[in-house]
Amino acid sequence: MKKFLIFSVFAACVFGMNAQLTVLKSGNVRIGSSNQYVSMNQPKLDSLATLNLVRGINGTGAYMTFGNLKNVAVGEYSTSSLDSDVLALYGFKGIKYIAGNAEIFYYSWPNNTLSGTTLPALAQFTFNCSVKAPSFLTTSDARMKSDIKGISGLSSLLTEVSPVSYRLATTTEAVKASATNEQQACPPSPDDRVRYGFVAQEVKDVFPELVVEDAEGYLSIDYLGFIPILVDAYKSLEARVKEQEEVIYQLSNNNVRKSPTTGLDGILADGKAALLQNRPNPFRESTMIECVVPNGSAEAFVCVYDLQGTQVKRLNIEERGNCTITIDGSTLKPGMYIYALIIDGAEIDTKKMILTD
């Protein structure tokens, strides 16, 4: 109580000796004219000349109110007999913070009017400056949501939105759009860096749910709302890639079975006869020829011919299945040769090989 009286005297001195100071029976103090004041809970009209010093609930804390009691106030937050030590700011129609001539932030309830300007239809906490914090959290608990539905098919619409680079404008129109009224509009801090984003008018045509329009017609984008759409697009793309990989795999296997120039893994799967390209090619010391001889084949061999068609070597194959034949380069003269796989009197395939000196 002693602190409260000292504070009351101090406030009276600050507002001058000519101010009318009244101590009410409740212990509250009012500074200014009382001709517009009915009772503590029923103020009649707002008056900027009226300053009230009000005790908190259960005698804890205190409030300094301006004009109508409890419509605009600053003090210690308290709802019980405990001392909270929490600063409370209260404005019936909103809260505004101004530094110099700049409106830094503003919050308002919807459908209110302040200084002749209609406020946004949605309750918004608007900052006219950059906001920095270690992290930003968005309430997303399922218990706080209703009508939850999965989204799909929106990824194709992303192609209709064009990412752009831009700089913040400092024109009169842009400055006016960033404040609640023209009198308090002022240029933002110099920031000429290049930014990346979207144009709200274009986004509104494609994703109208992600765009909010204020009472003056200025548009804002809910960038966080793009995250679920991007995740859906990623999942769709991932599913499509897996589909294509499966098709490529099947086509590759089919090509392996049809083409004797590929590896043995696919060829062995169906057991068909095949002749592969020798490795290495060209070669100097030795080279290996891989082939497939089906089980049940009676006779199989590889013949090597020079370019004149003369047979220079015959290599009989006793194994069946996956077979490997090694040719020693010292047994042939440097040059180009043709080798063929013959199984049961039928030519399976023919390849070329080169021996260097």
Side-chain angles (χ1 to χ4, degrees):
M1 186 64 181
K2 182 182 296 184
K3 291 182 179 179
F4 185 77
L5 291 176
I6 294 175
F7 179 73
S8 301
V9 174
F10 173 75
C13 294
V14 170
F15 284 90
M17 295 302 296
N18 294 328
Q20 181 178 349
L21 187 149
T22 305
V23 179
L24 306 178
K25 294 181 180 180
S26 61
N28 297 333
V29 178
R30 182 179 66 247
I31 301 175
S33 174
S34 62
N35 57 359
Q36 294 179 341
Y37 180 81
V38 178
S39 67
M40 185 176 70
N41 296 321
Q42 294 181 329
K44 184 177 181 182
L45 296 173
D46 195 4
S47 172
L48 296 179
T50 303
L51 172 67
N52 300 280
L53 303 178
V54 184
R55 295 194 323 183
I57 299 175
N58 297 322
T60 61
Y63 288 89
M64 179 184 295
T65 69
F66 307 87
N68 282 352
L69 193 61
K70 298 183 180 180
N71 276 4
V72 178
V74 56
E76 182 181 12
Y77 175 80
S78 178
T79 58
S80 66
S81 59
L82 299 178
D83 187 9
S84 68
D85 293 332
V86 175
L87 175 65
L89 301 176
Y90 179 76
F92 179 72
K93 294 183 178 181
I95 296 177
K96 178 183 295 189
Y97 175 70
I98 299 174
N101 293 324
E103 180 182 299
I104 305 303
F105 67 74
Y106 182 76
Y107 174 81
S108 68
W109 287 104
N111 302 323
N112 284 335
T113 300
L114 184 65
S115 301
T117 301
T118 302
L119 301 179
L122 297 177
Q124 298 179 2
F125 202 172
T126 303
F127 282 81
N128 297 314
C129 60
S130 298
V131 179
K132 180 180 179 181
S135 65
F136 294 90
L137 303 179
T138 301
T139 302
S140 192
D141 194 293
R143 295 168 295 180
M144 304 175 71
K145 300 179 180 180
S146 63
D147 196 24
I148 299 176
K149 299 177 182 178
I151 62 173
S152 62
L154 296 180
S155 57
S156 60
L157 297 177
L158 288 173
T159 59
E160 301 180 27
V161 180
S162 302
V164 298
S165 64
Y166 64 94
R167 288 185 171 88
L168 291 179
T170 56
T171 61
T172 302
E173 180 70 13
V175 170
K176 179 181 177 182
S178 66
T180 53
N181 58 64
E182 188 172 2
Q183 288 72 29
Q184 292 173 339
C186 64
S189 301
D191 187 354
D192 196 40
R193 63 188 175 91
V194 175
R195 300 165 184 256
Y196 300 93
F198 304 108
V199 175
Q201 281 79 358
E202 184 181 86
V203 174
K204 185 178 180 181
D205 293 336
V206 184
F207 300 108
E209 300 84 357
L210 298 182
V211 177
V212 177
E213 182 175 357
D214 65 18
E216 300 296 327
Y218 295 104
L219 305 181
S220 302
I221 296 177
D222 175 14
Y223 277 95
L224 290 178
F226 272 100
I227 296 178
I229 298 175
L230 292 174
V231 171
D232 177 62
Y234 171 79
K235 292 173 66 176
S236 299
L237 181 61
E238 183 76 6
R240 188 175 303 175
V241 169
K242 288 182 178 179
E243 263 180 36
Q244 293 176 348
E245 286 178 345
E246 180 63 24
V247 172
I248 292 172
Y249 175 77
Q250 293 176 359
L251 292 175
S252 298
N253 283 346
N254 290 336
N255 289 337
V256 165
R257 294 187 183 98
K258 295 177 181 179
S259 174
T261 60
T262 53
L264 285 173
D265 292 340
I267 298 174
L268 284 175
D270 53 20
K272 294 182 179 179
L275 176 67
L276 278 72
Q277 186 66 50
N278 65 300
R279 295 180 294 116
N281 188 44
F283 68 99
R284 183 176 181 181
E285 297 179 356
S286 64
T287 188
M288 292 187 303
I289 298 174
E290 292 179 301
C291 61
V292 176
V293 179
N295 294 326
S297 301
E299 184 182 46
F301 56 88
V302 171
C303 285
V304 181
Y305 304 87
D306 61 20
L307 294 183
Q308 285 71 41
T310 302
Q311 178 178 312
V312 297
K313 190 179 287 293
R314 170 173 170 156
L315 304 168
N316 292 322
I317 303 174
E318 302 299 333
E319 298 85 0
R320 295 296 180 263
N322 182 10
C323 305
T324 302
I325 299 170
T326 301
I327 296 180
D328 187 355
S330 63
T331 62
L332 298 172
K333 294 180 180 180
M336 181 178 291
Y337 295 88
I338 297 174
Y339 64 96
L341 173 63
I342 312 297
I343 298 178
D344 293 339
E347 180 185 287
I348 303 302
D349 201 0
T350 302
K351 304 289 183 185
K352 292 180 181 180
M353 65 180 180
I354 299 174
L355 174 63
T356 61
D357 56 11

